[in-house]
Amino acid sequence: MTPPPPRPLRLGLLAWPVGHPASVAEFGARLDAWLAQARGRADLCLLPEYACVELGAALAGDAAPDPATELAAMVADADAILAAMRAAAMRAGVWLLPGTLPMRTTGGRILNRAPLIAPDGRLAFQDKQAMTRFESERWGIAGGAGPAVFDTPWGRLGISVCYDIEFPKHARAQVEQGAWLVLAPSCTDSLQGFARVRVGAAARALENQCFVAVAPTVGEAPWSVALDDNHGRTMVLGPPDRGFPEDGVVAAGGPDAPGWLFHTLDPALIEAVRRDGAVLNHRDWPRRPVPPPRPAVFA
C-alpha cells in the first residue's frame, strides 16, 4: 500500500537574540519563554546554530574568555545543556531543533551537533561536516558524520548546518533519500556571511525543488568570543517556479530582527513542482560525473 502523502507542517523559525544567561538553568528558562510564544502556532521549531553558546562566557567564569576556554566550558556542560533542550521540547510539546552545540565524542574529537528532538524526548543528531575557518583554526572543531535524514509526522526532512548549506552535495544526498524540507540553522557574524548562507539556501531550493528554512542568531554579544556579532534573517526559500513566488522567497523576517517567523509548508507544492514545473531540476540533476574540461580548439 502506498503511504499517504505528508501533511502540511506548521514551522516556526526563530531569529535568536543572543543573551547573557548566567547558568544552564537560565538558558533553559529563556528557551521555555520563546517556545511558549510558539505554542499552538508551530509543530516544529527551528533555532539557530550555536544559540546556546551564549552560555560560554558564564560557564567559563565571565572573564572575557579566549576561544579555547569558552569552547572547553561549553563542551564540559554539553550534557546538561542538551538535557535542558530536551526538557524544553517536552514541556512545549513540539518537535525542536534547538540549534547546535559543541560536543566531545568518545574518540576525543569535538563536533558541532544539531539534535532534532521529538515531543516525547527522543532525539537524533545531524553533525556539521564543513567547518568554517573560525571553527577549524581557532576552536579546533572537526567535521562530523555525513548527512542523515529524519522521519517525522510530516515526512522525511534533512538538516544542513550553516556552512554545509553552501555546498550542493550535502542537501542533495538528503533530498535523494526523500527529504522535501531542509532545515538550515545558521550563525553568521557579518552581512557577507549571511549572504553566503542565503544564496546557498536559495541554490539548494532551486536545484532540488525543495523548501529550505534558515534561522540565524542576531545581535551583539561582546562577552562572547564566538557570538560577538550576529547578522541574518529568518527565511523560507523554495524553487522560483510554478506555485512559488517569483524570487523563491516563500516567507522572511526582517533583517537582524529578533523573534519568530511562522509559516505553514505544504509538501504537496513540492510534489507538484517536481512533477510539472517549468523546469525539472530535481529530475535533471546530473547523474554522471562531469568529465574534465578540455581546451577548446579555435578554427
Side-chain angles (χ1 to χ4, degrees), residues 6 47 52 69 152 215 225 242 245:
L47 274 62
C52 67
T69 305
T152 74
V225 177
R242 294 171 181 160

Side-chain angles (χ1 to χ4, degrees), residues 201-210 238-240 281-282:
R204 305 296 80 81
L206 180 155
E207 66 204 12
N208 295 300
Q209 294 181 300
C210 69
N281 303 76
H282 175 260

Side-chain angles (χ1 to χ4, degrees), residues 30 72 105 124 156 171 177 203 289:
R30 267 171 55 78
T105 68
R156 185 163 281 185
Q177 291 302 312

Side-chain angles (χ1 to χ4, degrees), residues 9 11 17-18 38 66 95-96 105 125 143 150 153 167 196 223 276:
L9 166 65
L11 181 64
V18 178
D66 59 61
W95 285 73
L96 175 65
T105 68
F125 290 100
F150 301 81
F167 300 97
R196 291 191 295 270
W223 57 86
D276 192 31

